[in-house]
């Protein structure tokens, strides 16, 4: 098993990280939206999002709201994680989203107008 697999398993061991990923499979969300949806503090959300980004399970996009303020929206980059046990060992396989996260953000932005 390599370090990337260890990182994925370690981050998925956390219930808040799993909740964030589950919500991000519905649509890209800001930290405020994630905090409300997952019932967690900003600090908890930011820590988990950093770990999820380090494991390449989440991506971020800078957004501009109508008032001219900038904020980040996050999107899941993963569809499935499979752990296979065989021959005295195990492997972790991550299936990435078929839709580019940038395209998801574009679709979301276009859907607002």
């Amino acid at each position: 098993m390599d370090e990337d697999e260890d990182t994925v398993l370690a981050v998925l061991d956390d219930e808040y990280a799993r909740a964030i990923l589950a919500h991000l499979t519905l649509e890209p969300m800001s930290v405020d939206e994630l905090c409300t949806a997952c019932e967690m503090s900003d600090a908890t959300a930011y820590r988990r999002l950093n770990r999820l980004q380090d494991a390449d399970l989440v991506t971020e996009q800078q957004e501009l709201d109508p008032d001219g303020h900038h904020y980040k929206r996050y999107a899941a980059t993963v569809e499935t994680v499979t752990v296979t046990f065989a021959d005295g060992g195990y492997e972790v396989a991550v299936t990435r989203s078929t839709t580019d996260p940038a395209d998801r953000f574009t679709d979301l932005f276009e859907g607002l107008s």
Side-chain angles (χ1 to χ4, degrees), residues 86-100:
D87 300 322
Y90 57 98
E91 292 182 15
V92 177
V94 178
T95 304
R96 305 288 171 195
S97 301
T98 55
T99 305
D100 183 342

Side-chain angles (χ1 to χ4, degrees), residues 55-108:
D56 198 27
L57 300 175
V58 167
T59 189
E60 69 181 45
Q61 177 79 21
Q62 192 78 3
E63 295 286 326
L64 180 66
D65 69 19
D67 296 330
H69 296 97
H70 292 84
Y71 66 99
K72 294 178 183 175
R73 293 183 73 78
Y74 297 86
T77 60
V78 62
E79 285 185 4
T80 61
V81 175
T82 306
V83 181
T84 305
F85 296 91
D87 300 322
Y90 57 98
E91 292 182 15
V92 177
V94 178
T95 304
R96 305 288 171 195
S97 301
T98 55
T99 305
D100 183 342
D103 293 338
R104 286 188 194 172
F105 285 111
T106 301
D107 293 343
L108 177 69

Side-chain angles (χ1 to χ4, degrees), residues 1-102:
M1 186 150 123
D2 65 27
E3 186 177 317
D4 290 341
E5 292 174 339
D6 285 338
T7 302
V8 169
L9 289 178
V11 74
L12 293 178
D13 186 42
D14 183 89
E15 69 180 283
Y16 288 117
R18 290 191 309 270
I20 288 170
L21 269 178
H23 280 57
L24 292 179
T25 62
L26 298 171
E27 64 181 330
M29 300 176 94
S30 68
V31 168
D32 287 341
E33 292 167 329
L34 285 167
C35 288
T36 299
C38 300
E39 298 180 2
M40 67 180 74
S41 69
D42 285 1
T44 298
Y46 280 112
R47 277 193 305 274
R48 291 343 185 265
L49 284 165
N50 285 336
R51 291 185 68 204
L52 287 162
Q53 285 179 294
D54 289 345
D56 198 27
L57 300 175
V58 167
T59 189
E60 69 181 45
Q61 177 79 21
Q62 192 78 3
E63 295 286 326
L64 180 66
D65 69 19
D67 296 330
H69 296 97
H70 292 84
Y71 66 99
K72 294 178 183 175
R73 293 183 73 78
Y74 297 86
T77 60
V78 62
E79 285 185 4
T80 61
V81 175
T82 306
V83 181
T84 305
F85 296 91
D87 300 322
Y90 57 98
E91 292 182 15
V92 177
V94 178
T95 304
R96 305 288 171 195
S97 301
T98 55
T99 305
D100 183 342

